[in-house]
Amino acid sequence: MKLATWNINSARARTDRILDVLQRHDLDVLALQEIKCKPEQFPSEQIEAAGYEIAAHGFNQWNGVALISRLGLSDIRTSFPNQPGFTKGTPDTEALYLPGDMPEARAIGAKIDGIDIWSLYVPNGRAVGDPHYHYKLDFLAHLNAYAQRTIATDPSAQFAFVGDWNVIPTDEDVWDPAAMEGGLYLSDAERAAFFAFEETGMREVSRNFATNYTFWDYQQLRFPKNQGMRIDFVYVSPALSTRAVGAEIDRDERKGKGASDHVPVIVEFSD
């Protein structure tokens, strides 16, 4: 299986690029984040004509995730167990993120060729200490708890958490750590939440094969200066990690007019 994850930053604005990446990399599965549309607005016709099935989840022009597969899609879910919600504009911090609230469109999962694949758009956090920051940490904690339960129930489970994690795991994953305003993305708590998945037994498999940034801001000529960060990752279960045989980061996809600010991260798994 050849699987890619990509924060597309509007599926409708970049339909041609989606089709090109699917065909150029001969992808079996493409997980998208920030599709920024409702499922009925997703550019399904062109993609289905190329031989793919689609599962999309979005409420409006914000967030949104999707899975595109030519290997079938089953058991589609639009949130993981106990995924926290977030209510904007409420001054009471404790009321901002409750497991029982309606979650934002930040996760979609499906069974694809025997693997449970989740496309994830982890909350940004906005600023260290902001209510959205605590929501981000809560999101990651509940996701990790889900992984822990799954592995404990079935150590042979094959599943993948892929997407935009909005965490810079190490200082080498950003052009200048000091340039990150307020330390967002690389705070101790964010990094601990990211590496907690390794403690659970999961493995981030793209780093074994590919080194590069995955995001360059549109401002201040960040891409031409190569002032980027690595925040898009492929975390997989212990059983699936042994099947990872290669990976690449398609840096060239950031070039040209109308590019997303992220690029695809591609991982190949053996049968």
Side-chain angles (χ1 to χ4, degrees):
M1 175 190 289
K2 205 169 187 182
L3 162 69
T5 180
W6 188 12
N7 181 320
I8 192 62
N9 193 18
S10 177
R12 289 178 290 178
R14 297 182 170 86
T15 305
D16 289 345
R17 283 182 174 265
I18 293 172
L19 289 166
D20 178 65
V21 163
L22 286 169
Q23 295 166 6
R24 179 158 44 86
H25 290 288
D26 193 25
L27 296 179
D28 295 305
V29 182
L30 176 59
L32 296 176
Q33 301 86 43
E34 281 204 273
I35 62 171
K36 296 185 175 180
C37 64
K38 299 176 182 179
E40 59 268 25
Q41 298 171 317
F42 193 85
S44 301
E45 185 176 349
Q46 303 97 309
I47 296 169
E48 289 172 346
Y52 290 85
E53 296 180 39
I54 300 162
H57 177 44
F59 297 125
N60 47 40
Q61 73 273 27
W62 308 109
N63 307 324
V65 284
L67 287 167
I68 299 171
S69 169
R70 65 180 178 189
L71 301 176
L73 292 161
S74 64
D75 191 19
I76 298 167
R77 288 140 290 158
T78 55
S79 65
F80 56 83
N82 298 317
Q83 180 180 329
F86 185 79
T87 304
K88 299 177 182 179
T90 305
D92 181 1
T93 301
E94 293 184 357
L96 289 175
Y97 54 99
L98 298 172
D101 287 349
M102 173 65 73
E104 295 180 304
R106 292 184 176 274
I108 189 167
K111 290 287 180 64
I112 304 173
D113 197 29
I115 303 174
D116 200 16
I117 299 176
W118 285 87
S119 178
L120 301 164
Y121 180 40
V122 176
N124 172 280
R126 298 180 184 168
V128 174
D130 188 276
H132 205 263
Y133 174 82
H134 296 292
Y135 165 53
K136 175 181 190 173
L137 298 177
D138 203 33
F139 184 99
L140 289 169
H142 281 290
L143 181 64
N144 192 27
Y146 172 45
Q148 291 172 348
R149 292 192 301 271
T150 303
I151 294 170
T153 301
D154 180 10
S156 66
Q158 310 252 330
F159 63 93
F161 295 162
V162 310
D164 178 357
W165 289 72
N166 273 320
V167 177
I168 300 170
T170 74
D171 287 353
E172 289 70 34
D173 293 320
V174 61
W175 88 96
D176 180 8
M180 304 307 298
E181 185 175 352
L184 186 67
Y185 292 6
L186 43 70
S187 68
D188 289 344
E190 289 168 288
R191 286 179 167 179
F194 181 86
F195 286 114
F197 289 84
E198 285 192 4
E199 297 171 8
T200 293
M202 299 188 72
R203 294 291 178 266
E204 201 295 307
V205 291
S206 71
R207 194 184 294 275
N208 294 344
F209 306 98
T211 58
N212 210 329
Y213 300 137
T214 65
F215 167 88
W216 295 261
D217 195 272
Y218 291 126
Q219 306 299 318
Q220 299 180 321
L221 298 175
R222 294 296 191 203
F223 183 65
K225 296 176 182 177
N226 199 32
Q227 295 178 344
M229 60 184 75
R230 187 170 190 167
I231 56 176
D232 302 86
F233 297 98
V234 178
Y235 249 127
V236 304
S237 62
L240 183 56
S241 67
T242 61
R243 294 173 54 190
V245 294
E248 64 177 299
I249 295 170
D250 185 3
R251 187 183 186 278
D252 287 346
E253 186 55 41
R254 182 62 174 79
K255 297 177 180 178
K257 184 178 179 180
S260 172
D261 44 8
H262 294 249
V263 297
V265 178
I266 304 154
V267 175
E268 188 167 0
F269 297 95
S270 63
D271 294 333

